[in-house]
Structures are given as structure tokens and as C-alpha cells.
């Protein structure tokens, strides 16, 4: 996707909740088509109490755009 920045590989995308990841990617693409530059898709995971937790959000111009609010 033109203009799309990602700090992770697609394998991380698959480990995140599919619905949240897909919604964030769609929103990121929409923002880019509306002229917002340097929208970044951020995905990560951590282990808490031996449970793997994943999260995804967008970053733009110092703002964190988190549509999951969790």
C-alpha cells in the first residue's frame, strides 16, 4: 500500500485480534486517502501472568489512534 508505514512484519498482524487489526488497517488506509501522511500501523504483544496479550493501534503526527479503547 502506497504511503503505508509498518514497524512490524505481517506475522505480527496475524497474531493480533483479526477484527481489531483489520479495522485499524482499513482506517489507516482511509486516512492516507484523505491526505494524512505518515500514518503508522503499530502492533505488539506482551506476556502478563503467563498470558500473551496483543494490541494494535495507529500513530499519526504524535497522536495515538486506538479504536479498540481497551
Amino acid at each position: 500500500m502506497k504511503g503505508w508505514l509498518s514497524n512490524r512484519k505481517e506475522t505480527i498482524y496475524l497474531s493480533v485480534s483479526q477484527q481489531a487489526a483489520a479495522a485499524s488497517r482499513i482506517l489507516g488506509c482511509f486516512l492516507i486517502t484523505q491526505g494524512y501522511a505518515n500514518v503508522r500501523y503499530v502492533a505488539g504483544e506482551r506476556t502478563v501472568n503467563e498470558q500473551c496479550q496483543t494490541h494494535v493501534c495507529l500513530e499519526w503526527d504524535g497522536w495515538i489512534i486506538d479504536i479498540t479503547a481497551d
Side-chain angles (χ1 to χ4, degrees):
M1 289 176 270
K2 184 179 179 185
W4 185 260
L5 298 176
S6 178
N7 63 336
R8 298 288 181 149
K9 301 278 185 202
E10 289 300 311
T11 53
I12 297 297
Y13 167 74
L14 295 174
S15 69
V16 178
S17 165
Q18 292 294 321
Q19 294 169 335
S24 291
R25 288 184 71 115
I26 291 168
L27 177 59
C29 290
F30 172 77
L31 292 172
I32 290 168
T33 64
Q34 298 302 303
Y36 294 88
N38 299 319
V39 176
R40 182 179 295 251
Y41 175 85
V42 181
E45 56 187 36
R46 67 180 182 171
T47 302
V48 176
N49 297 326
E50 298 182 24
Q51 266 191 326
C52 182
Q53 298 177 343
T54 59
H55 194 74
V56 63
C57 64
L58 300 174
E59 289 181 356
W60 171 76
D61 196 28
W63 290 85
I64 296 174
I65 305 166
D66 184 354
I67 62 171
T68 62
D70 59 355

